[in-house]
Amino acid sequence: MLPLRLLRRAGRATLALGLAAGLLLGAAHTPASALDDAQRKEFESVIRDYLLNNPEVIQEAIMVLQQRQAAAAAKQREAAVAELKPRIYDTTRGVVVGNPQGDVTLVEFFDYNCGYCKRALGDMVDLIKGDPKLKVILKEFPVLGPGSVEAARVAVAVRLTAPDKYFDFHKKLLGERGQANKDKAIEAAVAAGVDKAALEKALDNPEVNATLQDDLQLAEALGIDGTPSYVLGDQVVVGAVGHDQLKEAIASVRKCGKTQC
């Protein structure tokens, strides 16, 4: 619930904007002869003076609107998670790290060129180390340019070629500085022990593009437009929210099936 102070100010904003809308609506349905130039100027002057004397009302009204829009978006994502759950947790085209039989599943959408994803890597590793019952599904979501797409294609090829080496590759590539691309991704894969010839052959496998297309379609359906983003329990969690918040959300899902009990 909003603080009383904001509710009061939002109420003033609603009153002012509602008054303006009401007067404009009334003017629209009033014969032109009933509203002369002097009355119209007086109306405009009242609204202008109020907003100039109380500019914070506009700012706070916008804030309330943004909060309502965020809440509406969260509900839409929650509905999408419920509808798309079989696809979200399908591991046919995803990589599982942590405990494959875990009692809580965390799905991460990431981009190898995402600075926040690089920071969040440590959180993910620590969560897996500290929670032996956590299952994590990694999904490629290359949205930051051609280099990201190239790196994601190599990542899928690693999964097809040497799935047991994927997480080492993933950590190496995300841990590097600079922009990820095909060459850097192949270097990281070889450093993780993947056979280079087999990897390059796997890049021609139709499954590579099919995987990326499937992940992109799923992210769009869930309203995900940035990385990292997570699906946990009944919600989509957007952004690098940090180890502690994810840990608390995981504990809540384990307790009641929701990120907030």
Side-chain angles (χ1 to χ4, degrees):
M1 180 176 293
L2 290 174
L4 183 58
R5 174 179 60 83
L6 293 184
L7 287 173
R8 285 172 175 168
R9 291 184 177 178
R12 292 201 301 271
T14 301
L15 177 61
L17 297 177
L19 175 62
L23 289 174
L24 286 171
L25 183 61
H29 292 280
T30 300
S33 59
L35 191 64
D36 58 30
D37 290 342
Q39 290 172 323
R40 185 176 289 106
K41 289 180 179 179
E42 182 178 1
F43 159 72
E44 292 173 352
S45 178
V46 169
I47 297 302
R48 181 177 183 277
D49 288 346
Y50 180 85
L51 295 178
L52 287 176
N53 290 326
N54 301 274
E56 72 280 359
V57 169
I58 297 176
Q59 182 179 4
E60 291 172 9
I62 292 173
M63 182 184 70
V64 171
L65 175 61
Q66 290 173 335
Q67 290 172 335
R68 290 177 180 175
Q69 289 174 333
K75 286 186 178 181
Q76 290 178 344
R77 285 174 174 152
E78 186 174 337
V81 169
E83 180 182 352
L84 299 170
K85 190 165 290 186
R87 285 183 61 190
I88 295 169
Y89 297 108
D90 180 15
T91 58
T92 304
R93 286 175 169 162
V95 175
V96 176
V97 295
N99 184 350
Q101 307 302 322
D103 60 351
V104 173
T105 301
L106 176 66
V107 181
E108 180 184 7
F109 290 80
F110 67 94
D111 184 308
Y112 283 110
N113 279 316
C114 166
Y116 293 104
C117 296
K118 293 177 182 291
R119 298 178 196 175
L121 174 62
D123 297 331
M124 179 65 68
V125 172
D126 289 344
L127 285 170
I128 292 172
K129 287 182 178 179
D131 189 343
K133 294 183 179 181
L134 178 63
K135 176 181 178 180
V136 177
I137 301 175
L138 299 175
K139 291 187 178 291
E140 318 286 342
F141 188 42
V143 292
L144 297 177
S148 295
V149 175
E150 291 177 2
R153 295 187 79 256
V154 173
V156 177
V158 170
R159 171 176 68 81
L160 296 173
T161 306
D164 58 317
K165 294 179 172 59
Y166 180 94
F167 198 36
D168 285 340
F169 154 79
H170 178 79
K171 290 184 288 185
K172 286 180 182 298
L173 187 55
L174 262 184
E176 289 185 358
R177 294 184 177 181
Q179 290 291 303
N181 53 32
K182 179 181 177 180
D183 291 340
K184 285 192 175 182
I186 290 177
E187 289 177 6
V190 172
V194 181
D195 181 77
K196 184 176 181 179
L199 179 63
E200 290 179 336
K201 182 178 179 180
L203 286 171
D204 294 327
N205 190 323
E207 181 64 17
V208 171
N209 289 337
T211 295
L212 297 184
Q213 186 66 25
D214 188 58
D215 288 349
L216 289 169
Q217 289 177 349
L218 182 58
E220 182 179 3
L222 291 170
I224 294 174
D225 56 7
T227 54
S229 288
Y230 307 91
V231 179
L232 178 63
D234 60 336
Q235 290 189 359
V236 174
V237 180
V238 179
V241 296
H243 173 276
D244 292 346
Q245 186 170 330
L246 285 175
K247 183 178 179 179
E248 290 177 6
I250 290 167
S252 295
V253 170
R254 185 167 281 136
K255 180 179 179 181
C256 66
K258 298 182 178 182
T259 53
Q260 292 184 340
C261 295

